[in-house]
Coordinates of all heavy atoms in Angstrom, one line a residue:
M1 N -52.0 11.4 -35.2 CA -51.3 11.0 -34.0 C -50.9 12.3 -33.3 O -50.4 13.2 -33.9 CB -50.1 10.1 -34.4 CG -49.4 9.5 -33.2 SD -50.5 8.3 -32.4 CE -49.4 7.7 -31.1
A2 N -50.9 12.3 -32.0 CA -50.6 13.4 -31.2 C -49.1 13.6 -31.2 O -48.3 12.7 -31.3 CB -51.1 13.2 -29.8
N3 N -48.7 14.9 -31.0 CA -47.2 15.2 -31.0 C -46.7 15.6 -29.7 O -45.5 15.6 -29.5 CB -47.0 16.4 -32.0 CG -47.3 16.0 -33.4 OD1 -46.9 14.9 -33.8 ND2 -47.9 16.8 -34.2
H4 N -47.6 16.0 -28.8 CA -47.1 16.5 -27.4 C -46.7 15.3 -26.6 O -47.3 14.2 -26.7 CB -48.2 17.2 -26.7 CG -48.6 18.5 -27.4 ND1 -47.8 19.7 -27.3 CD2 -49.6 18.8 -28.2 CE1 -48.4 20.6 -28.0 NE2 -49.5 20.1 -28.6
K5 N -45.6 15.5 -25.8 CA -45.1 14.5 -24.9 C -46.2 14.0 -24.0 O -46.4 12.8 -23.8 CB -44.0 15.0 -24.1 CG -42.6 14.6 -24.6 CD -41.6 15.0 -23.6 CE -40.3 14.3 -23.8 NZ -39.2 14.7 -22.9
S6 N -47.0 14.9 -23.4 CA -48.0 14.6 -22.4 C -49.1 13.7 -23.1 O -49.6 12.8 -22.5 CB -48.6 15.8 -21.8 OG -49.2 16.6 -22.8
S7 N -49.5 14.1 -24.3 CA -50.6 13.3 -24.9 C -50.1 11.9 -25.4 O -50.9 11.0 -25.3 CB -51.2 14.1 -26.1 OG -50.2 14.4 -27.1
L8 N -48.8 11.8 -25.7 CA -48.3 10.5 -26.0 C -48.3 9.6 -24.8 O -48.6 8.4 -24.8 CB -46.9 10.6 -26.6 CG -46.8 11.2 -28.0 CD1 -45.3 11.5 -28.4 CD2 -47.4 10.4 -29.0
K9 N -47.9 10.2 -23.7 CA -47.9 9.5 -22.4 C -49.3 9.1 -22.0 O -49.6 8.0 -21.6 CB -47.3 10.3 -21.3 CG -47.2 9.6 -20.0 CD -46.6 10.4 -18.9 CE -46.6 9.7 -17.6 NZ -45.9 10.5 -16.5
R10 N -50.2 10.0 -22.2 CA -51.6 9.7 -21.9 C -52.2 8.5 -22.7 O -52.9 7.7 -22.2 CB -52.5 11.0 -22.2 CG -53.9 10.8 -22.0 CD -54.3 10.5 -20.5 NE -53.9 11.5 -19.6 CZ -53.8 11.3 -18.3 NH1 -54.1 10.1 -17.8 NH2 -53.4 12.2 -17.5
I11 N -51.8 8.5 -24.0 CA -52.2 7.4 -24.9 C -51.6 6.0 -24.3 O -52.3 5.0 -24.3 CB -51.7 7.6 -26.3 CG1 -52.5 8.7 -26.9 CG2 -51.9 6.3 -27.1 CD1 -52.0 9.3 -28.2
R12 N -50.4 6.0 -23.9 CA -49.8 4.8 -23.3 C -50.5 4.4 -22.0 O -50.8 3.2 -21.8 CB -48.3 5.0 -23.0 CG -47.4 5.1 -24.2 CD -45.9 5.0 -23.8 NE -45.5 5.9 -22.8 CZ -45.0 7.1 -22.9 NH1 -44.9 7.6 -24.1 NH2 -44.6 7.8 -21.9
Q13 N -50.8 5.4 -21.2 CA -51.4 5.1 -19.9 C -52.9 4.6 -20.1 O -53.3 3.6 -19.4 CB -51.5 6.4 -19.0 CG -50.2 6.8 -18.4 CD -50.3 8.1 -17.6 OE1 -51.1 8.9 -18.0 NE2 -49.5 8.2 -16.6
T14 N -53.5 5.2 -21.1 CA -54.9 4.7 -21.4 C -54.9 3.3 -21.8 O -55.8 2.5 -21.4 CB -55.5 5.7 -22.4 OG1 -55.5 7.0 -21.9 CG2 -57.0 5.3 -22.7
A15 N -54.0 2.9 -22.7 CA -53.9 1.6 -23.2 C -53.7 0.6 -22.1 O -54.3 -0.5 -22.0 CB -52.9 1.5 -24.3
T16 N -52.7 0.9 -21.2 CA -52.4 0.0 -20.1 C -53.6 -0.1 -19.2 O -54.0 -1.2 -18.8 CB -51.2 0.6 -19.3 OG1 -50.2 0.8 -20.2 CG2 -50.8 -0.3 -18.2
R17 N -54.3 1.0 -18.9 CA -55.4 1.0 -18.0 C -56.6 0.2 -18.6 O -57.3 -0.5 -17.9 CB -55.8 2.4 -17.6 CG -56.5 2.5 -16.3 CD -56.6 4.0 -15.9 NE -55.4 4.4 -15.3 CZ -54.7 5.5 -15.6 NH1 -55.2 6.3 -16.6 NH2 -53.6 5.9 -15.0
K18 N -56.8 0.4 -19.9 CA -57.9 -0.3 -20.6 C -57.7 -1.9 -20.5 O -58.6 -2.6 -20.2 CB -57.9 0.1 -22.0 CG -59.0 -0.6 -22.8 CD -59.0 -0.2 -24.3 CE -60.1 -0.9 -25.0 NZ -60.0 -0.7 -26.5
L19 N -56.5 -2.3 -20.7 CA -56.1 -3.7 -20.6 C -56.4 -4.3 -19.2 O -57.0 -5.3 -19.0 CB -54.7 -4.0 -21.0 CG -54.2 -5.4 -21.1 CD1 -55.0 -6.1 -22.2 CD2 -52.7 -5.5 -21.3
H20 N -56.0 -3.5 -18.2 CA -56.1 -3.8 -16.8 C -57.6 -3.9 -16.4 O -58.1 -4.9 -15.8 CB -55.4 -2.8 -15.9 CG -55.5 -3.0 -14.5 ND1 -56.5 -2.4 -13.7 CD2 -54.8 -3.8 -13.6 CE1 -56.3 -2.8 -12.4 NE2 -55.3 -3.7 -12.4
N21 N -58.4 -2.9 -16.8 CA -59.8 -2.9 -16.5 C -60.6 -4.0 -17.2 O -61.5 -4.6 -16.7 CB -60.4 -1.5 -16.9 CG -59.9 -0.4 -16.0 OD1 -59.4 -0.6 -14.9 ND2 -60.1 0.8 -16.5
H22 N -60.2 -4.3 -18.5 CA -60.8 -5.3 -19.3 C -60.7 -6.7 -18.6 O -61.6 -7.5 -18.5 CB -60.3 -5.4 -20.7 CG -61.0 -6.4 -21.5 ND1 -60.5 -7.7 -21.7 CD2 -62.1 -6.3 -22.3 CE1 -61.3 -8.3 -22.5 NE2 -62.3 -7.5 -22.8
Y23 N -59.5 -6.9 -18.0 CA -59.2 -8.2 -17.3 C -60.2 -8.4 -16.2 O -60.8 -9.4 -16.0 CB -57.8 -8.3 -16.9 CG -57.5 -9.4 -15.9 CD1 -57.4 -10.7 -16.4 CD2 -57.5 -9.2 -14.6 CE1 -57.2 -11.8 -15.6 CE2 -57.2 -10.3 -13.7 CZ -57.1 -11.5 -14.2 OH -56.9 -12.6 -13.4
Y24 N -60.3 -7.3 -15.3 CA -61.1 -7.4 -14.1 C -62.6 -7.5 -14.5 O -63.4 -8.2 -13.8 CB -60.8 -6.3 -13.2 CG -59.5 -6.5 -12.4 CD1 -58.4 -5.9 -12.8 CD2 -59.5 -7.5 -11.5 CE1 -57.2 -6.1 -12.1 CE2 -58.3 -7.8 -10.8 CZ -57.1 -7.1 -11.1 OH -56.0 -7.3 -10.5
A25 N -63.0 -6.7 -15.5 CA -64.5 -6.8 -15.9 C -64.8 -8.2 -16.4 O -65.9 -8.7 -16.2 CB -64.7 -5.7 -16.9
K26 N -63.9 -8.7 -17.2 CA -64.2 -10.1 -17.8 C -64.2 -11.1 -16.7 O -65.0 -12.0 -16.8 CB -63.0 -10.4 -18.8 CG -63.2 -11.7 -19.6 CD -64.4 -11.6 -20.5 CE -64.4 -12.9 -21.4 NZ -65.6 -12.9 -22.2
T27 N -63.3 -11.0 -15.7 CA -63.3 -12.0 -14.6 C -64.6 -11.9 -13.9 O -65.1 -13.0 -13.5 CB -62.1 -11.6 -13.7 OG1 -60.9 -11.6 -14.5 CG2 -62.0 -12.7 -12.6
A28 N -65.1 -10.7 -13.6 CA -66.4 -10.6 -12.9 C -67.5 -11.2 -13.7 O -68.4 -11.8 -13.2 CB -66.6 -9.1 -12.6
R29 N -67.5 -10.9 -15.0 CA -68.6 -11.5 -15.9 C -68.6 -13.0 -15.8 O -69.6 -13.6 -15.8 CB -68.4 -11.0 -17.3 CG -69.0 -9.7 -17.6 CD -69.2 -9.4 -19.1 NE -68.0 -9.6 -19.9 CZ -67.2 -8.6 -20.2 NH1 -67.3 -7.4 -19.6 NH2 -66.1 -8.8 -20.9
N30 N -67.4 -13.6 -15.9 CA -67.3 -15.0 -15.8 C -67.8 -15.5 -14.4 O -68.4 -16.6 -14.4 CB -65.9 -15.5 -16.0 CG -65.5 -15.4 -17.5 OD1 -66.4 -15.3 -18.4 ND2 -64.2 -15.3 -17.8
A31 N -67.5 -14.8 -13.4 CA -67.9 -15.2 -12.0 C -69.5 -15.2 -11.9 O -70.1 -16.1 -11.4 CB -67.3 -14.3 -11.0
V32 N -70.1 -14.1 -12.5 CA -71.5 -14.0 -12.5 C -72.1 -15.2 -13.3 O -73.1 -15.8 -12.9 CB -72.0 -12.7 -13.1 CG1 -73.5 -12.6 -13.4 CG2 -71.6 -11.5 -12.2
R33 N -71.5 -15.5 -14.5 CA -72.0 -16.6 -15.3 C -71.9 -17.9 -14.5 O -72.8 -18.8 -14.6 CB -71.2 -16.7 -16.6 CG -71.6 -15.7 -17.6 CD -70.8 -16.1 -18.9 NE -70.9 -14.9 -19.8 CZ -69.9 -14.2 -20.3 NH1 -68.7 -14.6 -20.0 NH2 -70.1 -13.2 -21.0
K34 N -70.9 -18.1 -13.8 CA -70.7 -19.3 -13.0 C -71.8 -19.5 -11.9 O -72.3 -20.6 -11.7 CB -69.3 -19.3 -12.3 CG -68.8 -20.6 -11.8 CD -67.3 -20.5 -11.4 CE -66.9 -21.8 -10.8 NZ -65.5 -21.8 -10.3
V35 N -72.1 -18.4 -11.3 CA -73.2 -18.5 -10.3 C -74.5 -18.8 -10.9 O -75.3 -19.6 -10.5 CB -73.3 -17.1 -9.5 CG1 -74.5 -17.1 -8.6 CG2 -72.1 -16.9 -8.6
R36 N -74.8 -18.1 -12.1 CA -76.0 -18.4 -12.8 C -76.1 -19.8 -13.3 O -77.2 -20.4 -13.5 CB -76.2 -17.4 -13.9 CG -76.6 -16.0 -13.5 CD -77.0 -15.1 -14.6 NE -77.4 -13.8 -14.1 CZ -77.0 -12.7 -14.7 NH1 -76.3 -12.7 -15.8 NH2 -77.4 -11.6 -14.2
A37 N -75.0 -20.4 -13.6 CA -75.0 -21.8 -14.2 C -75.1 -22.8 -13.1 O -75.4 -24.0 -13.3 CB -73.7 -22.0 -14.9
T38 N -74.9 -22.4 -11.8 CA -75.0 -23.4 -10.7 C -76.5 -23.7 -10.4 O -77.3 -22.8 -10.3 CB -74.4 -22.7 -9.4 OG1 -73.0 -22.4 -9.8 CG2 -74.3 -23.7 -8.3
T39 N -76.7 -25.0 -10.2 CA -78.1 -25.4 -9.8 C -78.2 -25.8 -8.3 O -79.3 -26.0 -7.8 CB -78.6 -26.5 -10.7 OG1 -77.6 -27.6 -10.6 CG2 -78.7 -26.1 -12.1
D40 N -77.1 -25.9 -7.7 CA -77.1 -26.3 -6.3 C -77.1 -25.1 -5.4 O -76.3 -24.2 -5.5 CB -75.8 -27.1 -5.9 CG -75.7 -27.6 -4.5 OD1 -76.8 -27.9 -3.9 OD2 -74.6 -27.6 -3.9
K41 N -78.1 -25.0 -4.5 CA -78.3 -23.8 -3.7 C -77.2 -23.5 -2.8 O -76.8 -22.4 -2.6 CB -79.6 -23.9 -2.9 CG -80.0 -22.6 -2.2 CD -81.3 -22.6 -1.6 CE -81.6 -21.2 -1.0 NZ -83.0 -20.8 -0.9
A42 N -76.7 -24.5 -2.1 CA -75.6 -24.3 -1.1 C -74.3 -23.8 -1.8 O -73.7 -22.9 -1.3 CB -75.3 -25.6 -0.4
E43 N -74.0 -24.4 -3.0 CA -72.8 -23.9 -3.7 C -73.0 -22.5 -4.2 O -72.1 -21.7 -4.1 CB -72.6 -24.9 -4.9 CG -71.3 -24.7 -5.6 CD -71.1 -25.6 -6.8 OE1 -71.8 -26.7 -6.8 OE2 -70.3 -25.3 -7.7
A44 N -74.2 -22.2 -4.7 CA -74.5 -20.8 -5.2 C -74.4 -19.8 -4.1 O -73.9 -18.7 -4.2 CB -75.8 -20.8 -5.9
A45 N -75.0 -20.2 -2.9 CA -75.0 -19.3 -1.8 C -73.6 -19.1 -1.3 O -73.2 -18.0 -0.8 CB -75.8 -19.9 -0.7
A46 N -72.7 -20.1 -1.4 CA -71.3 -19.9 -1.0 C -70.5 -19.0 -1.9 O -69.6 -18.2 -1.5 CB -70.6 -21.3 -0.9
M47 N -70.9 -19.0 -3.2 CA -70.2 -18.2 -4.2 C -70.7 -16.7 -4.2 O -69.9 -15.8 -4.6 CB -70.4 -18.7 -5.6 CG -69.5 -19.9 -6.0 SD -69.6 -20.2 -7.7 CE -71.1 -21.1 -7.9
L48 N -71.9 -16.5 -3.8 CA -72.5 -15.2 -3.9 C -71.8 -14.1 -3.1 O -71.6 -13.0 -3.7 CB -74.0 -15.2 -3.4 CG -74.8 -14.0 -3.6 CD1 -75.0 -13.7 -5.0 CD2 -76.2 -14.2 -2.9
P49 N -71.3 -14.3 -1.9 CA -70.6 -13.1 -1.2 C -69.3 -12.7 -2.0 O -69.0 -11.5 -2.1 CB -70.2 -13.7 0.1 CG -71.2 -14.8 0.4 CD -71.5 -15.4 -1.0
S50 N -68.6 -13.7 -2.5 CA -67.3 -13.3 -3.2 C -67.6 -12.6 -4.5 O -66.9 -11.6 -4.8 CB -66.5 -14.6 -3.5 OG -67.2 -15.5 -4.3
V51 N -68.7 -13.0 -5.2 CA -69.0 -12.3 -6.4 C -69.5 -10.9 -6.1 O -69.2 -9.9 -6.8 CB -70.1 -13.1 -7.2 CG1 -70.6 -12.4 -8.4 CG2 -69.5 -14.5 -7.7
S52 N -70.3 -10.8 -5.1 CA -70.8 -9.4 -4.7 C -69.7 -8.5 -4.3 O -69.7 -7.3 -4.7 CB -71.8 -9.6 -3.5 OG -72.9 -10.3 -3.8
K53 N -68.7 -9.0 -3.6 CA -67.5 -8.3 -3.2 C -66.8 -7.8 -4.5 O -66.3 -6.6 -4.6 CB -66.6 -9.1 -2.3 CG -65.4 -8.4 -1.8 CD -64.6 -9.3 -0.9 CE -63.3 -8.6 -0.5 NZ -62.5 -9.5 0.4
M54 N -66.6 -8.7 -5.4 CA -65.9 -8.4 -6.7 C -66.7 -7.3 -7.4 O -66.0 -6.3 -7.9 CB -65.9 -9.6 -7.6 CG -65.0 -9.5 -8.8 SD -65.0 -11.0 -9.8 CE -64.6 -12.3 -8.7
L55 N -68.0 -7.4 -7.5 CA -68.8 -6.3 -8.2 C -68.7 -5.0 -7.5 O -68.6 -3.9 -8.1 CB -70.2 -6.8 -8.3 CG -70.5 -8.0 -9.2 CD1 -71.9 -8.4 -9.1 CD2 -70.2 -7.6 -10.7
D56 N -68.7 -5.0 -6.1 CA -68.6 -3.8 -5.4 C -67.2 -3.1 -5.6 O -67.1 -1.9 -5.8 CB -68.7 -4.0 -3.9 CG -70.2 -4.2 -3.5 OD1 -71.1 -3.7 -4.2 OD2 -70.4 -4.9 -2.5
K57 N -66.2 -3.9 -5.7 CA -64.8 -3.3 -5.9 C -64.7 -2.7 -7.3 O -64.2 -1.6 -7.5 CB -63.8 -4.4 -5.8 CG -63.4 -4.7 -4.4 CD -62.2 -5.6 -4.3 CE -61.7 -5.8 -2.9 NZ -60.6 -6.8 -2.9
L58 N -65.3 -3.4 -8.3 CA -65.3 -2.8 -9.7 C -66.1 -1.5 -9.7 O -65.7 -0.6 -10.4 CB -65.9 -3.9 -10.7 CG -65.1 -5.1 -10.9 CD1 -65.8 -6.0 -11.9 CD2 -63.7 -4.8 -11.4
A59 N -67.2 -1.5 -9.0 CA -68.0 -0.2 -9.0 C -67.2 0.9 -8.3 O -67.3 2.0 -8.8 CB -69.3 -0.5 -8.4
K60 N -66.6 0.6 -7.2 CA -65.8 1.5 -6.5 C -64.7 2.1 -7.3 O -64.4 3.3 -7.3 CB -65.2 0.9 -5.2 CG -64.5 1.9 -4.3 CD -64.0 1.2 -3.0 CE -62.8 0.5 -3.3 NZ -62.2 -0.1 -2.1
R61 N -64.1 1.3 -8.2 CA -63.0 1.8 -9.0 C -63.4 2.3 -10.4 O -62.6 2.5 -11.3 CB -62.0 0.6 -9.2 CG -61.3 0.2 -7.9 CD -60.4 -1.0 -8.1 NE -59.8 -1.4 -6.9 CZ -59.4 -2.6 -6.6 NH1 -59.6 -3.5 -7.5 NH2 -58.9 -2.9 -5.4
N62 N -64.8 2.4 -10.6 CA -65.3 2.9 -11.8 C -65.0 2.1 -13.0 O -65.0 2.6 -14.1 CB -64.9 4.4 -12.1 CG -65.6 5.3 -11.1 OD1 -66.7 5.1 -10.8 ND2 -64.8 6.3 -10.7
I63 N -64.9 0.8 -12.8 CA -64.7 -0.1 -14.0 C -66.1 -0.5 -14.5 O -66.3 -0.6 -15.7 CB -63.9 -1.4 -13.6 CG1 -62.5 -0.9 -13.2 CG2 -63.9 -2.4 -14.7 CD1 -61.6 -2.0 -12.6
I64 N -67.0 -0.6 -13.6 CA -68.4 -0.8 -14.0 C -69.2 0.3 -13.3 O -68.8 0.8 -12.2 CB -69.0 -2.2 -13.8 CG1 -69.0 -2.6 -12.4 CG2 -68.3 -3.2 -14.7 CD1 -69.7 -3.9 -12.1
H65 N -70.4 0.6 -13.7 CA -71.2 1.6 -13.1 C -71.8 1.0 -11.8 O -72.1 -0.2 -11.7 CB -72.3 2.1 -14.0 CG -73.0 3.3 -13.6 ND1 -74.1 3.3 -12.7 CD2 -72.8 4.6 -13.9 CE1 -74.4 4.6 -12.5 NE2 -73.7 5.4 -13.2
K66 N -72.0 1.9 -10.8 CA -72.5 1.4 -9.5 C -73.9 0.8 -9.6 O -74.2 -0.1 -8.9 CB -72.4 2.5 -8.4 CG -73.3 3.7 -8.7 CD -73.3 4.7 -7.6 CE -74.3 5.8 -7.9 NZ -74.4 6.7 -6.7
N67 N -74.7 1.4 -10.5 CA -76.1 0.8 -10.6 C -76.0 -0.5 -11.3 O -76.9 -1.4 -11.0 CB -76.9 1.8 -11.4 CG -77.3 3.1 -10.7 OD1 -77.0 3.2 -9.5 ND2 -77.8 4.0 -11.4
K68 N -75.1 -0.7 -12.2 CA -75.0 -2.0 -12.9 C -74.6 -3.1 -11.9 O -75.1 -4.2 -11.8 CB -73.9 -2.0 -14.0 CG -73.8 -3.3 -14.7 CD -72.8 -3.2 -15.9 CE -72.6 -4.5 -16.5 NZ -73.7 -5.0 -17.3
A69 N -73.6 -2.7 -11.0 CA -73.2 -3.6 -9.9 C -74.4 -4.0 -9.0 O -74.6 -5.1 -8.7 CB -72.1 -3.0 -9.1
A70 N -75.2 -3.0 -8.6 CA -76.3 -3.2 -7.8 C -77.4 -4.1 -8.4 O -77.9 -5.0 -7.8 CB -77.0 -1.8 -7.4
N71 N -77.6 -3.8 -9.7 CA -78.6 -4.7 -10.5 C -78.1 -6.1 -10.6 O -78.9 -7.0 -10.4 CB -78.8 -4.1 -11.9 CG -79.6 -2.9 -11.9 OD1 -80.4 -2.6 -11.0 ND2 -79.5 -2.1 -12.9
L72 N -76.8 -6.3 -10.8 CA -76.3 -7.7 -10.9 C -76.4 -8.4 -9.6 O -76.8 -9.6 -9.5 CB -74.9 -7.7 -11.4 CG -74.7 -7.4 -12.9 CD1 -73.2 -7.2 -13.2 CD2 -75.2 -8.5 -13.8
K73 N -76.0 -7.7 -8.5 CA -76.1 -8.3 -7.2 C -77.5 -8.7 -6.8 O -77.8 -9.8 -6.3 CB -75.5 -7.4 -6.2 CG -74.0 -7.3 -6.2 CD -73.5 -6.1 -5.4 CE -74.1 -6.0 -4.0 NZ -73.5 -4.9 -3.2
S74 N -78.5 -7.8 -7.1 CA -79.9 -8.0 -6.8 C -80.4 -9.3 -7.6 O -81.0 -10.1 -7.0 CB -80.7 -6.8 -7.2 OG -82.0 -7.1 -7.1
K75 N -80.1 -9.3 -8.9 CA -80.6 -10.4 -9.7 C -80.0 -11.7 -9.3 O -80.6 -12.8 -9.3 CB -80.3 -10.1 -11.2 CG -81.3 -9.1 -11.7 CD -81.0 -8.8 -13.1 CE -81.9 -7.6 -13.6 NZ -81.6 -7.2 -15.0
L76 N -78.7 -11.7 -8.9 CA -78.0 -12.9 -8.4 C -78.6 -13.4 -7.1 O -78.9 -14.6 -6.9 CB -76.5 -12.7 -8.3 CG -75.7 -12.7 -9.5 CD1 -74.3 -12.4 -9.2 CD2 -75.8 -14.0 -10.3
A77 N -78.9 -12.5 -6.2 CA -79.5 -12.8 -4.9 C -80.9 -13.4 -5.1 O -81.3 -14.4 -4.5 CB -79.6 -11.6 -4.0
I78 N -81.7 -12.9 -6.0 CA -83.0 -13.4 -6.3 C -82.9 -14.8 -6.9 O -83.6 -15.7 -6.5 CB -83.7 -12.5 -7.3 CG1 -84.2 -11.2 -6.6 CG2 -85.0 -13.2 -7.9 CD1 -84.6 -10.1 -7.5
Y79 N -81.9 -15.0 -7.8 CA -81.7 -16.3 -8.4 C -81.3 -17.4 -7.3 O -81.9 -18.5 -7.3 CB -80.6 -16.2 -9.5 CG -80.2 -17.6 -10.0 CD1 -81.0 -18.2 -10.9 CD2 -79.0 -18.2 -9.6 CE1 -80.7 -19.5 -11.4 CE2 -78.7 -19.4 -10.1 CZ -79.5 -20.1 -11.0 OH -79.2 -21.3 -11.5
V80 N -80.4 -17.0 -6.5 CA -80.0 -17.9 -5.4 C -81.1 -18.3 -4.5 O -81.3 -19.4 -4.1 CB -78.7 -17.4 -4.6 CG1 -78.4 -18.2 -3.4 CG2 -77.5 -17.3 -5.6
N81 N -81.9 -17.3 -4.1 CA -83.0 -17.5 -3.2 C -84.1 -18.4 -3.8 O -84.8 -19.1 -3.1 CB -83.6 -16.2 -2.7 CG -82.7 -15.5 -1.8 OD1 -82.0 -16.1 -1.1 ND2 -82.8 -14.2 -1.7
K82 N -84.2 -18.4 -5.2 CA -85.3 -19.2 -5.9 C -84.8 -20.6 -6.0 O -85.7 -21.5 -6.3 CB -85.6 -18.6 -7.2 CG -86.5 -17.4 -7.2 CD -86.9 -17.0 -8.6 CE -87.8 -15.8 -8.6 NZ -88.1 -15.4 -10.0
L83 N -83.5 -20.9 -5.9 CA -83.1 -22.3 -6.1 C -83.7 -23.2 -5.0 O -83.8 -22.7 -3.8 CB -81.6 -22.4 -6.0 CG -80.8 -21.8 -7.2 CD1 -79.3 -21.8 -7.0 CD2 -81.1 -22.6 -8.5
A84 N -84.0 -24.4 -5.3 CA -84.6 -25.3 -4.3 C -83.6 -26.2 -3.7 O -82.6 -26.5 -4.2 CB -85.7 -26.1 -5.0

């Protein structure tokens, strides 16, 4: 265990940030799953902009990688367009 005040504070900050980031990443994963589980095109198309916005925000804040966000958005858009 670290002995310096600054490193103890850094450990506390890291734990708090990890919990915060985990919540938002998990929420986004659930939103992506919800879109993929939808079989109605109108409903999926309505959900897509909000999920894309969520992924962009996570990428901007470095919670997920920007390429991962782009790949997820692309695959979701393809999925929604294929729905009949």
Side-chain angles (χ1 to χ4, degrees):
M1 190 68 181
N3 293 321
H4 295 283
K5 260 187 161 179
S6 61
S7 56
L8 291 172
K9 180 178 179 181
R10 177 62 60 199
I11 290 167
R12 289 195 309 269
Q13 286 178 329
T14 303
T16 305
R17 206 167 279 129
K18 181 182 177 187
L19 186 66
H20 181 264
N21 290 344
H22 183 266
Y23 169 77
Y24 284 105
K26 184 69 174 175
T27 304
R29 276 199 304 272
N30 287 337
V32 168
R33 282 189 195 118
K34 195 171 179 184
V35 172
R36 285 191 178 137
T38 306
T39 55
D40 181 34
K41 184 169 184 156
E43 190 179 339
M47 282 193 279
L48 187 62
S50 62
V51 174
S52 294
K53 183 179 176 182
M54 190 184 305
L55 291 171
D56 283 336
K57 279 187 178 179
L58 292 179
K60 184 175 81 174
R61 295 177 182 151
N62 288 323
I63 295 172
I64 61 172
H65 196 273
K66 64 178 185 173
N67 290 352
K68 181 179 177 70
N71 286 337
L72 285 171
K73 286 169 44 180
S74 173
K75 287 177 183 177
L76 285 176
I78 289 168
Y79 173 75
V80 170
N81 288 333
K82 279 187 180 177
L83 288 174

